[in-house]
Amino acid sequence: MTFPSNIRVAAREFASVFSIIRTKNNTLISGVEGEFLKVLSEQLHFTYEVFSPYDRQWGTTDWTGNWTGVIGMILRNEVDMGLSHISITEERANVVDFSFPYTVLDRTFVTAKPGDSPKMASFTYPFNTSVWILILVLTVIAPLLFRPLMFKKRSFASVFFMIFGSMLKQPIDNSEQPSMQRLIYSSWVGSMTLLYFAYSGILLSYITVPWQKKGIRNIKDLVDALQAGTHKCLAPDGTIDTQLLLNSNLHYYRIIGEYIARNNWVYESSAMSEKLLDGRTVLIGSRSLLHGFFGYDPYVTEYISDDSFGVWNIGIALRKNFCCKEELNFAILRTLSSGLYEKWWKDSAFKSSWSQISKTQDTKQSIRLPLEDLYGVFILLFAGYILSFVAFFVEISMKRFKKEEVVQDCLLDSKDNMQETVNTDNIL
């Protein structure tokens, strides 16, 4: 059967996927899917008219049960086919036909990068909470063990400060100890040396390349954030993402779908921008489209999750009675085999990544160590100095106070002795 000479095509305009520029005499199309349509028209020798759905949707059922967007235009016989990254689902396949799948749609989400961890407390980051608690417990228990074994003549406070100093690479005077006690001391010093170097190495790595705060990394984190009320999740308008989440067999997916449906959390796909990601907003979208907009590593400007809500095939939507599906599938396979479709996506990704380079921070700046990275350490140091001076002045004051008491006691004793002498003389 001869392929039709003119095809009416419905396409949803979206960023680098399908763009339409209309002039008086011509209609110019671009984007990955636009180039795909051009190649198919050259292979099958047909001309095309491009129409955009008035509601700017791919196709879903509304409250009346009617289909919207590109799928609705095909059902109303307004166009012969529709493309622009249309996923093949069971609901859509029941009302329209689809060509051979030419790519896959991986649905995930993107969030704003949470930013660097506070630098004020950077000296606490090398170890987690449990390790710090263990070190504090060890600081208290070690003097209790070392005092009866090695320092019987010293007070607990003296042994405590000696052990605490050894954790900071201060020496311990054990010259008078026998060999067995020295062996215990050596094992302790070796352990503290390893602990010290581990802490120093991790701290230096953090100061060189600051750690980021823990953000929303996976679907479970997203559900926890929604239930806590700290974030909202937006699904692209005109897609069946919300329906798929609500009908999912997975509990987490249904929770996300319920929040989106209840609050009408949607966004216009063509309006996707970094401004939508205000730190409290999560956007659901196709992984390839998200990377195409926000860039690829190492120049990605936002965090794109590794988790997926699901993977669907992408195909060209056709009328149920379309005449030449086999010829169209053959042309699609030829295009895929030549690697053209993959090349178009790589070209689009390169342009996006190139535009993101100017938005990302120069990696050389991460190697510098500004003063603000050491604020916490210096604050801790000055706090120690202040406590030392306070202790110093307290010791001086106590010593002076005790000296005055001794002088007063001496004066009283001298006065008493003189009084006794006078009394003795009077008696004599």
Side-chain angles (χ1 to χ4, degrees):
M1 184 177 293
T2 305
F3 202 88
S5 59
N6 183 267
I7 296 293
R8 298 168 299 169
V9 180
R12 165 71 161 80
E13 292 187 70
F14 180 67
S16 59
V17 178
F18 201 104
S19 300
I20 304 174
I21 300 177
R22 302 185 186 276
T23 63
K24 291 183 178 180
N25 302 322
N26 198 4
T27 299
L28 304 177
I29 60 175
S30 60
V32 176
E33 303 276 294
E35 297 297 328
F36 191 31
L37 178 59
K38 291 178 184 178
V39 170
L40 292 178
S41 68
E42 292 176 0
Q43 292 185 63
L44 298 172
H45 307 289
F46 67 86
T47 59
Y48 51 83
E49 296 179 73
V50 181
F51 300 88
S52 299
Y54 71 93
D55 53 10
R56 301 179 61 82
Q57 296 187 7
W58 280 274
T60 184
T61 53
D62 58 17
W63 64 275
T64 63
N66 294 320
W67 282 86
T68 62
V70 175
I71 303 298
M73 295 180 69
I74 296 175
L75 287 175
R76 294 189 297 269
N77 201 27
E78 297 175 6
V79 294
D80 301 306
M81 66 172 60
L83 74 165
S84 186
H85 232 56
I86 300 177
S87 57
I88 303 174
T89 63
E90 183 179 358
E91 294 80 5
R92 289 173 176 172
N94 289 332
V95 294
V96 298
D97 204 354
F98 279 95
S99 68
F100 183 85
Y102 54 86
T103 187
V104 294
L105 180 67
D106 180 9
R107 308 297 290 183
T108 185
F109 64 88
V110 60
T111 63
K113 287 187 176 180
D116 297 336
S117 300
K119 298 178 180 180
M120 190 67 69
S122 59
F123 61 91
T124 64
Y125 294 151
F127 299 143
N128 58 23
T129 305
S130 58
V131 175
W132 281 118
I133 293 175
L134 181 62
I135 292 175
L136 291 176
V137 172
L138 187 63
T139 305
V140 176
I141 293 178
L144 297 175
L145 298 177
F146 275 81
R147 185 168 178 264
L149 292 175
M150 299 177 58
F151 308 104
K152 296 180 180 180
K153 298 181 180 180
R154 299 188 181 184
S155 63
F156 175 81
S158 175
V159 177
F160 173 81
F161 285 110
M162 187 182 301
I163 295 299
F164 182 74
S166 68
M167 292 182 173
L168 304 177
K169 294 187 66 176
Q170 298 298 317
I172 295 179
D173 182 15
N174 68 330
S175 57
E176 301 177 356
Q177 305 300 329
S179 300
M180 183 58 67
Q181 278 77 2
R182 290 185 181 183
L183 181 62
I184 298 174
Y185 163 76
S186 300
S187 63
W188 170 262
V189 171
S191 301
M192 291 302 101
T193 302
L194 292 176
L195 183 67
Y196 176 83
F197 282 118
Y199 176 84
S200 302
I202 299 174
L203 179 62
L204 183 60
S205 67
Y206 166 76
I207 294 176
T208 305
V209 182
W211 295 342
Q212 288 191 342
K213 297 178 182 177
K214 185 180 183 300
I216 299 177
R217 297 288 180 177
N218 49 51
I219 294 176
K220 184 180 182 304
D221 292 342
L222 175 57
V223 173
D224 293 340
L226 293 177
Q227 292 177 335
T230 59
H231 289 73
K232 60 181 180 179
C233 181
L234 307 184
D237 190 18
T239 64
I240 58 174
D241 288 0
T242 305
Q243 295 179 8
L244 293 174
L245 291 172
L246 290 172
N247 297 330
S248 174
N249 295 325
L250 299 177
H251 179 61
Y252 286 157
Y253 290 12
R254 292 197 302 272
I255 292 176
I256 297 173
E258 289 170 0
Y259 272 96
I260 295 174
R262 184 189 313 143
N263 299 283
N264 193 28
W265 284 341
V266 295
Y267 71 96
E268 175 60 41
S269 301
S270 59
M272 180 186 293
S273 68
E274 296 173 348
K275 295 180 180 179
L276 291 176
L277 299 174
D278 55 3
R280 293 173 50 87
T281 303
V282 179
L283 302 181
I284 294 177
S286 166
R287 186 180 303 277
S288 57
L289 296 180
L290 293 177
H291 277 298
F293 187 86
F294 296 107
Y296 287 78
D297 290 331
Y299 303 112
V300 61
T301 57
E302 311 298 338
Y303 177 75
I304 300 175
S305 175
D306 293 331
D307 280 7
S308 297
F309 292 108
V311 179
W312 292 270
N313 289 321
I314 299 297
I316 298 177
L318 305 169
R319 288 186 288 106
K320 280 290 187 180
N321 58 350
F322 188 74
C323 64
C324 307
K325 180 179 176 181
E326 292 184 2
E327 289 83 351
L328 179 62
N329 287 338
F330 183 75
I332 291 174
L333 289 173
R334 287 183 60 185
T335 305
L336 295 178
S337 300
S338 65
L340 286 175
Y341 191 81
E342 183 179 0
K343 177 184 180 299
W344 295 327
W345 270 115
K346 288 183 177 180
D347 291 344
S348 176
F350 175 77
K351 293 178 182 178
S352 176
S353 296
W354 184 260
S355 64
Q356 300 297 336
I357 292 177
S358 59
K359 300 179 183 179
T360 55
Q361 186 178 9
D362 187 1
T363 54
K364 294 182 180 179
Q365 296 180 359
S366 301
I367 302 176
R368 301 172 184 172
L369 298 179
L371 181 61
E372 62 181 11
D373 289 346
L374 303 173
Y375 277 163
V377 178
F378 281 117
I379 289 175
L380 186 64
L381 177 64
F382 289 131
Y385 284 156
I386 292 173
L387 292 176
S388 300
F389 279 113
V390 170
F392 175 70
F393 286 120
V394 169
E395 287 184 1
I396 293 177
S397 301
M398 292 295 295
K399 187 174 182 180
R400 181 174 297 178
F401 178 74
K402 289 181 178 180
K403 185 176 181 180
E404 291 178 355
E405 286 185 345
V406 171
V407 171
Q408 290 179 0
D409 291 340
C410 291
L411 291 175
L412 290 175
D413 292 341
S414 176
K415 186 176 181 180
D416 292 340
N417 292 333
M418 291 178 62
Q419 186 65 36
E420 290 179 0
T421 303
V422 171
N423 293 335
T424 303
D425 293 339
N426 291 334
I427 293 172
L428 295 175

